[in-house]
Amino acid sequence: MGILRLKQHLEPFLEAVCLHDRVHSTPGLATAQHVVIDGPSLVYHVYHRLLSWSHPDLCYPDIQPTCDEVSHGVMLFLLHLTSLGVTIEKVCFDGALPPLKQSTRLARLEKTRKRLEAFRISHSGCLSTSLVPERMTVNRWENVLQSRTLPANLALVPENHFIVPAVYEDLRHRWSKENILEALPVHSFLRVAANRLASLPWADVTIMVPGEADVYCAHFAKENDCLILTNDSDLLLYDIGSSGSVILVSSMSLAHTYPDNSITAQGICPNTVARRLGLESLIPLAFVLQSNPRIGMGELVRRSKIVDRAPDPPPGYSQFLKEYQTSPSILVDNIGKRYPQSLDTRVSEMVAQYLYPETYSHDASLSIYLVMLTEDPKRQCAWLQGRVIRVIGYSLFNLTQPIDKRHKYIIEHIRRGGRVTCDMIALDNQSSLSAEIQSLLDQLDVVQAKTGIEVDCPVFWRTFALYTIFGLQTTPKTPNLDQLKRLLAHGSMSNNLDWDDVHVLAQIQSVLYSLRILKQLLGISEFSDRQTTQVSAVLAHLPPLHVLMRSVHEMKKESAILPGKDAINQAILLWGGESSDDHGRRERSRVSAGGTQPLKSGDPRSTYHNPTATSRTWPVRPQNIFELLSNQ
């Protein structure tokens, strides 16, 4: 996660590096021919570089680089390295973080929450209009190798927290030779290199490691004599060999010397710098800096030498040192056979707590850290939508484990009001789980049967998400048919996108990602009964993440072509309902063991229901699609 200001202090020791094969090396410059890449670091670098190149007239959310754009950018980055003869040995992604990083990650979640809160305050009204010219957003990923400082006015733009799993998935499954050639401009010089690629050029080298990517990058680099591409200063502290070097991804840029088109960058050899400073390694320097981030370089070196040469280490130093002396629990070459490779990082981390409880379980409890959604921080956390679906996945996987490894609860780390907190959620037993799965199947059947939309279509899944959110929750703010049609087609319920729209979109993302969590946990569970087989069959059609999390302007583009337009018309107008702004109220009740219990709007239990156990009073004329669906 990096030591604050460490890279800044070491800037005088940076050396120029050229990423190229040795045959075409640049005189006077070190050459990087074999590299291992810190996956998340590269993804966020591409994201921020694309953000810096966004059209100045764009507003949020159109200015935010999408999962698809970042994925294109990473593809272009790797393809350019390949075209220069650079061998990409591994691209490592975090599969779990140790418990000792809990305070750091919670601090980062809180920082993200405060950033969203500040953005909400500074953008209290309309965020963007629906009339964004396509030229403002088309192919900005082509600028990924062009260096540019991020404008100060973009510092508060909320980050897209689904980009890392989207890129990981695409490197393994999407970016085939054919898809790469289709994505490249017709006259791109990279088409020559693309034509020489294997079918899925980066699928085998892209790995989800059972731990931090740092550890595996460092170990692989030392064992295979290759350089590390990252922006994470932590990698300067691991043992990467006497001549091992770290290349800062943020320093990489295209030289524009056609036909050479080489990439120049700046790198640092930690061992060389440590020797020049009179230290055994850079770990004492980082330890002192962590406690004194504003200290000057001269004083920093002086104190570091004291720590380095002290017969008895100062308090906390042994633990700090241990963090950077960790060895991989599985050899890199065996990871694909011994650790699941089909999971997103957050899901992988939960699974790691079962597989390696002594390493990744915190206080013997089961935890999952959900990303901070871009939502309205003044309203209830959007992650509450879809929780029932996630609990099905958690519970299914839990029941596949030996009895002594099972948990009764899982802790979800999410936003609650103005803070990040822990929600302890009970996991289902076999009987209650069966009822929840059947309820989910019923809901999916209703949406598919009543709309007729193919389950391969993204509009089907967004319609299901909206049905989940609004289906049993009629309030004065429930969208009418016209608003729902606009929401599915344009991502907003009126011409201007406001915070009501942002929050509904976040709730949609919550439901869709919850389905993805369920799909992934089903994929590595050993249940094979009728219900789980049916759910797995439906979820097999869930689109990849770069489609599932399409942005507002991508939804507009999708709805402008015939298949998307037809699907939206099916979702809204198939039942012959008329749009209306006049919404009545209706009471909802749920029969429980103790009798009839009203459910409050937003109660996660109100998302799913047993139709035979629910009593409803409907208006004479249904007012929106979800009343229509529920009334069938």
Side-chain angles (χ1 to χ4, degrees):
M1 293 183 176
I3 304 295
L4 182 64
R5 300 189 71 195
L6 179 59
K7 285 189 291 186
Q8 180 180 335
H9 279 293
L10 297 179
E11 279 181 1
F13 302 97
L14 291 171
E15 296 181 348
V17 180
C18 183
L19 286 98
H20 219 309
D21 59 26
R22 288 193 175 94
V23 176
H24 302 92
S25 59
T26 304
L29 286 182
T31 300
Q33 188 178 13
H34 297 268
V35 297
V36 57
I37 300 175
D38 176 358
S41 190
L42 172 61
V43 171
Y44 274 103
H45 163 72
V46 169
Y47 170 85
H48 286 108
R49 185 158 283 187
L50 297 185
L51 180 62
S52 71
W53 280 101
S54 294
H55 195 284
D57 293 336
L58 285 176
C59 299
Y60 180 83
D62 299 315
I63 200 168
Q64 184 188 65
T66 68
C67 290
D68 186 52
E69 289 174 324
V70 174
S71 184
H72 272 84
V74 171
M75 176 273 290
L76 194 69
F77 186 98
L78 298 181
L79 180 60
H80 204 117
L81 288 181
T82 303
S83 75
L84 295 172
V86 177
T87 302
I88 300 166
E89 301 286 355
K90 294 292 177 186
V91 185
C92 299
F93 285 80
D94 301 308
L97 294 179
L100 61 88
K101 290 288 182 79
Q102 186 187 46
S103 59
T104 303
R105 69 192 317 181
L106 288 176
R108 293 201 170 190
L109 277 173
E110 176 61 16
K111 182 179 178 181
T112 304
R113 186 201 64 77
K114 288 182 177 178
R115 180 176 174 177
L116 177 62
E117 193 172 61
F119 184 79
R120 173 69 171 87
I121 292 170
S122 63
H123 295 73
S124 57
C126 170
L127 293 169
S128 72
T129 68
S130 61
L131 303 174
V132 177
E134 187 176 340
R135 62 178 173 79
M136 291 187 181
T137 57
V138 68
N139 291 354
R140 56 180 156 183
W141 50 270
E142 293 179 9
N143 293 314
V144 68
L145 289 165
Q146 308 296 324
S147 181
R148 192 182 195 188
T149 303
L150 185 69
N153 64 312
L154 301 183
L156 285 180
V157 172
E159 291 182 337
N160 182 341
H161 293 288
F162 294 106
I163 53 177
V164 172
V167 169
Y168 174 77
E169 178 181 44
D170 286 356
L171 290 179
R172 291 182 60 83
H173 301 292
R174 177 189 185 187
W175 290 124
S176 64
K177 175 181 176 179
E178 292 73 20
N179 287 342
I180 291 170
L181 285 167
E182 184 179 346
L184 289 174
V186 176
H187 301 295
S188 173
F189 71 93
L190 290 173
R191 296 186 72 86
V192 175
N195 273 307
R196 295 197 296 262
L197 292 173
S199 178
L200 281 166
W202 304 300
D204 292 337
V205 299
T206 300
I207 56 173
M208 179 74 66
V209 304
E212 288 186 276
D214 299 0
V215 177
Y216 288 81
C217 285
H219 180 79
F220 190 88
K222 181 180 179 181
E223 294 295 316
N224 296 275
D225 192 26
C226 55
L227 285 77
I228 301 171
L229 300 188
T230 185
N231 277 333
D232 190 345
S233 60
D234 275 349
L235 274 158
L236 297 169
L237 307 180
Y238 288 93
D239 179 10
I240 59 175
S242 59
S243 59
S245 291
V246 170
I247 296 176
L248 300 180
V249 179
S250 58
S251 70
M252 298 174 68
S253 62
L254 194 61
H256 276 313
T257 53
Y258 186 84
D260 186 31
N261 284 302
S262 61
I263 297 176
T264 58
Q266 291 183 309
I268 189 168
C269 177
N271 269 16
T272 299
V273 175
R275 287 196 301 269
R276 289 177 62 181
L277 295 176
L279 300 169
E280 287 294 320
S281 74
L282 293 179
I283 292 179
L285 190 88
F287 176 75
V288 174
L289 186 61
Q290 187 181 51
S291 303
N292 306 274
R294 300 191 181 279
I295 196 173
M297 187 62 176
E299 180 63 15
L300 175 60
V301 173
R302 187 188 71 81
R303 295 189 192 182
S304 300
K305 288 179 178 179
I306 294 174
V307 172
D308 199 23
R309 297 165 187 173
D312 297 317
Y317 183 68
S318 296
Q319 182 62 38
F320 186 82
L321 182 65
K322 182 180 178 182
E323 183 179 336
Y324 299 101
Q325 293 178 334
T326 306
S327 298
S329 56
I330 301 175
L331 293 177
V332 174
D333 292 337
N334 295 333
I335 285 176
K337 300 175 183 177
R338 297 183 55 190
Y339 193 76
Q341 295 295 295
S342 59
L343 309 177
D344 294 346
T345 295
R346 308 291 170 167
V347 184
S348 171
E349 184 167 42
M350 192 204 84
V351 171
Q353 292 171 64
Y354 285 98
L355 300 180
Y356 309 103
E358 65 285 348
T359 304
Y360 296 111
S361 184
H362 182 75
D363 296 333
S365 61
L366 182 66
S367 297
I368 187 167
Y369 296 82
L370 297 173
V371 300
M372 190 69 63
L373 294 170
T374 302
E375 58 186 346
D376 185 350
K378 294 183 177 181
R379 297 176 61 179
Q380 188 181 56
C381 180
W383 277 118
L384 293 184
Q385 296 292 344
R387 174 172 280 177
V388 172
I389 300 172
R390 297 195 300 277
V391 172
I392 292 174
Y394 303 152
S395 302
L396 273 170
F397 187 74
N398 189 59
L399 289 173
T400 65
Q401 303 304 302
I403 293 177
D404 61 332
K405 285 190 174 184
R406 292 179 189 174
H407 293 264
K408 293 183 178 180
Y409 302 92
I410 186 170
I411 296 172
E412 285 191 339
H413 295 267
I414 63 170
R415 178 188 65 82
R416 183 175 291 280
R419 61 194 177 97
V420 175
T421 187
C422 307
D423 275 8
M424 183 175 286
I425 306 161
L427 298 178
D428 293 330
N429 57 32
Q430 184 72 57
S431 58
S432 59
L433 182 60
S434 178
E436 294 290 1
I437 295 174
Q438 189 57 51
S439 181
L440 173 59
L441 285 168
D442 291 344
Q443 296 285 322
L444 289 164
D445 285 344
V446 165
V447 176
Q448 207 284 323
K450 301 303 179 184
T451 66
I453 306 173
E454 295 293 332
V455 291
D456 289 320
C457 179
V459 176
F460 169 82
W461 296 101
R462 288 188 213 119
T463 303
F464 172 78
L466 284 172
Y467 181 46
T468 300
I469 297 164
F470 294 119
L472 301 177
Q473 300 177 17
T474 300
T475 72
K477 288 191 175 182
T478 301
N480 60 43
L481 286 173
D482 290 338
Q483 291 172 322
L484 288 168
K485 185 173 182 177
R486 285 196 59 85
L487 192 60
L488 285 169
H490 302 293
S492 62
M493 291 178 278
S494 64
N495 287 335
N496 294 323
L497 183 138
D498 59 23
W499 283 97
D500 284 342
D501 299 316
V502 169
H503 201 75
V504 172
L505 291 172
Q507 291 176 315
I508 291 173
Q509 287 186 334
S510 174
V511 174
L512 296 179
Y513 197 73
S514 298
L515 288 167
R516 182 176 169 91
I517 289 175
L518 173 57
K519 176 185 177 180
Q520 292 188 353
L521 290 173
L522 272 171
I524 60 170
S525 299
E526 297 179 357
F527 271 98
S528 58
D529 59 12
R530 179 188 60 83
Q531 285 184 322
T532 54
T533 301
Q534 286 180 319
V535 173
S536 295
V538 178
L539 293 181
H541 297 275
L542 198 67
L545 205 54
H546 75 271
V547 174
L548 206 60
M549 298 298 171
R550 276 183 173 152
S551 67
V552 169
H553 72 80
E554 288 171 332
M555 289 168 64
K556 295 172 190 173
K557 187 175 179 180
E558 175 189 79
S559 66
I561 58 177
L562 195 58
K565 187 181 295 184
D566 287 347
I568 290 169
N569 287 334
Q570 284 176 261
I572 300 300
L573 301 176
L574 184 62
W575 303 269
E578 296 178 7
S579 62
S580 172
D581 291 323
D582 182 25
H583 288 277
R585 293 175 177 269
R586 58 183 165 89
E587 293 293 326
R588 300 185 316 281
S589 61
R590 178 186 176 105
V591 176
S592 63
T596 302
Q597 178 184 358
L599 287 181
K600 297 179 181 179
S601 175
D603 189 324
R605 294 173 301 161
S606 67
T607 302
Y608 291 102
H609 65 293
N610 182 343
T612 62
T614 306
S615 173
R616 307 184 189 88
T617 302
W618 300 97
V620 174
R621 171 181 288 180
Q623 300 298 309
N624 60 50
I625 181 176
F626 302 108
E627 291 182 7
L628 284 163
L629 284 171
S630 299
N631 201 17
Q632 299 298 316

